[in-house]
Amino acid sequence: MSISTQLKALCGAALASSALLLTACGNDSAETTQAANEPTELTVYTALEADLLDTYGKAFNEAHPDIKINWVRDSTGTITAKLLAEKENPRADVVWGLAGTSLLKMKNEGMLQSYSPVQVEKLDEKFRDNSSTPSWVGMDAWVAAICFNTVEAEKHGLTKPSSWQDLTKPEYKGHVIMPNPNSSGTGFLDVSSWLQTFGEEDGWKFMDGLHQNISRYTHSGSKPCKLAAAGETAVGISFAYRGAKLINKGAPLELVIPTEGIGWEIEATAILNTTKKMDAAKKLVDWSITKTANELYNQGYAVVAYPGVAKPVEHFPAEVGEKMIKNDFEWAAKNRDEILSEWQKRYDSKSEPKG
């Protein structure tokens, strides 16, 4: 083969190699561009009411179309248990909408990422973790109340209760429904507040008496009030905002704020410190405390974290603020497992099946 022919062959091979290299680089570039255009997916655990998820998710995506939320929703107790069980192999990136006492327990377990969201100082101080850099930030608060169906009460000759202790009277036997604290955040705030209000010994004594009149324990905090509104029970221990909304829809209910005081709980947001999508997680938490987000929270709760946002709710009891107990959230979080274990041992026989 002549030198000229050899040179031509070498040049051809070099050109072919270059073409292959350019093609490979081009393919890598296309794949990178495609990946860059795909939204970051966040797994978000929540105990929010199911009908709120679509509203919150759409509003967030209007601000951040580059982030997709994959919701995992269940009741407070179930989501809390799931998060704790997954501690060594976490699946969630963010928790958006879970009881503050649950997040306090997770903080104590070393599961949460400390983070100060943008403009967190605008929130009411009660809705912020008191650490220098918060591990969680609040969204809204809900308070306990008795939903009393006046039509069913008249049918069964029941007097309107004015206190928690009234519900232990024999006349209410079989006419009271309340949430199971092992699955419901509302149920846990009830039990926790009774133990704080009456003292532990008298608190359990009160619940022993109440249990005699309970027809069943539900796995949802709003369900007892919904059942009362539907005439399936005369008394539903639930939360005040749900009752007010049902009254506004025409339900024959009256809301009772017991004289001894009422428990309350904060719903909050936090980042799992194991997430591999920290930037996206921080964007979600930043948005979760905005005025826009709080205006949405106000559609489901009368008390929200952003001052000046909450609008008056018709039929929401005026005395709620003065009847909210001085709630020791740290105590409730620290003793949560022991309280729930004792409650289950004493009263779980009347719980409805988990379905």
Side-chain angles (χ1 to χ4, degrees):
M1 183 182 294
S2 68
I3 293 174
S4 175
T5 304
Q6 290 178 19
L7 285 172
K8 285 180 181 179
L10 287 170
C11 287
L15 285 170
S17 297
S18 297
L20 285 171
L21 182 61
L22 286 169
T23 301
C25 290
N27 285 342
D28 285 347
S29 178
E31 288 174 8
T32 301
T33 301
Q34 182 181 5
N37 290 334
E38 292 177 355
T40 301
E41 296 193 20
L42 288 178
T43 299
V44 178
Y45 280 27
T46 185
L48 291 166
E49 294 286 319
D51 56 357
L52 299 175
L53 302 186
D54 190 50
T55 300
Y56 292 3
K58 283 182 177 178
F60 171 71
N61 281 137
E62 286 179 8
H64 295 283
D66 56 327
I67 300 172
K68 179 185 176 184
I69 295 176
N70 295 321
W71 296 103
V72 176
R73 189 222 167 259
D74 214 312
S75 61
T76 300
T78 302
I79 284 292
T80 303
K82 184 174 176 64
L83 284 160
L84 292 170
E86 292 173 358
K87 179 182 176 182
E88 302 304 324
N89 185 28
R91 300 177 185 178
D93 298 300
V94 176
V95 178
W96 186 11
L98 188 64
T101 47
S102 293
L103 291 177
L104 272 172
K105 181 168 181 60
M106 292 172 62
K107 176 186 175 181
N108 294 337
E109 294 282 337
M111 298 171 64
L112 303 183
Q113 175 69 36
S114 297
Y115 175 60
S116 290
V118 177
Q119 297 189 331
V120 69
E121 68 279 357
K122 289 191 174 183
L123 299 187
D124 185 315
E125 288 185 1
K126 293 194 298 292
F127 288 85
R128 286 183 257 157
D129 178 10
N130 57 17
S131 300
S132 56
T133 303
S135 295
W136 56 266
V137 286
M139 304 162 52
D140 50 62
W142 75 101
V143 296
I146 297 170
C147 297
F148 184 68
N149 185 308
T150 54
V151 173
E152 288 301 302
E154 184 177 359
K155 186 189 301 183
H156 297 286
L158 305 178
T159 56
K160 180 181 174 180
S162 63
S163 68
W164 292 120
Q165 290 289 354
D166 281 348
L167 296 183
T168 64
K169 294 178 179 178
E171 66 178 287
Y172 295 105
K173 188 173 181 63
H175 297 296
V176 183
I177 292 177
M178 76 162 279
N180 181 327
N182 276 288
S183 51
S184 163
T186 304
F188 182 71
L189 78 82
D190 287 327
V191 173
S192 169
S193 67
W194 293 331
L195 293 172
Q196 292 180 63
T197 300
F198 300 128
E200 292 192 48
E201 183 177 345
D202 287 341
W204 289 114
K205 184 178 179 181
F206 161 73
M207 284 182 270
D208 287 344
L210 178 65
H211 180 68
Q212 300 306 311
N213 292 339
I214 293 285
S215 62
R216 60 174 151 143
Y217 297 101
T218 67
H219 291 290
S220 160
S222 60
K223 190 172 181 180
C225 200
K226 292 177 181 177
L227 292 172
E232 295 187 39
T233 188
V235 177
I237 297 173
S238 188
F239 57 97
Y241 189 85
R242 177 61 66 181
K245 297 293 278 187
L246 290 168
I247 293 170
N248 291 339
K249 291 180 179 179
L253 296 176
E254 290 185 15
L255 282 176
V256 177
I257 303 300
T259 54
E260 302 97 333
I262 49 175
W264 58 286
E265 176 66 281
I266 289 173
E267 205 156 38
T269 304
I271 300 172
L272 276 295
N273 58 17
T274 49
T275 181
K276 294 179 173 60
K277 302 168 183 177
M278 190 62 72
D279 287 346
K282 287 180 177 179
K283 286 180 182 179
L284 175 54
V285 176
D286 285 344
W287 188 88
S288 79
I289 69 165
T290 60
K291 186 176 181 181
T292 299
N294 277 261
E295 287 169 346
L296 291 177
Y297 303 154
N298 191 215
Q299 295 176 16
Y301 298 89
V303 182
V304 297
Y306 203 108
V309 167
K311 296 177 181 178
V313 178
E314 189 178 3
H315 299 297
F316 191 80
E319 69 271 30
V320 160
E322 65 188 56
K323 289 295 184 181
M324 290 167 67
I325 68 166
K326 187 177 180 180
N327 206 343
D328 189 339
F329 291 111
E330 292 283 354
W331 176 87
K334 181 180 178 181
N335 293 282
R336 187 177 186 277
D337 290 347
E338 182 181 343
I339 291 169
L340 292 177
S341 177
E342 183 65 20
W343 188 93
Q344 181 157 343
K345 183 174 67 177
R346 289 172 179 251
Y347 314 125
D348 196 54
S349 60
K350 289 187 178 180
S351 289
E352 64 184 11
K354 186 78 186 289

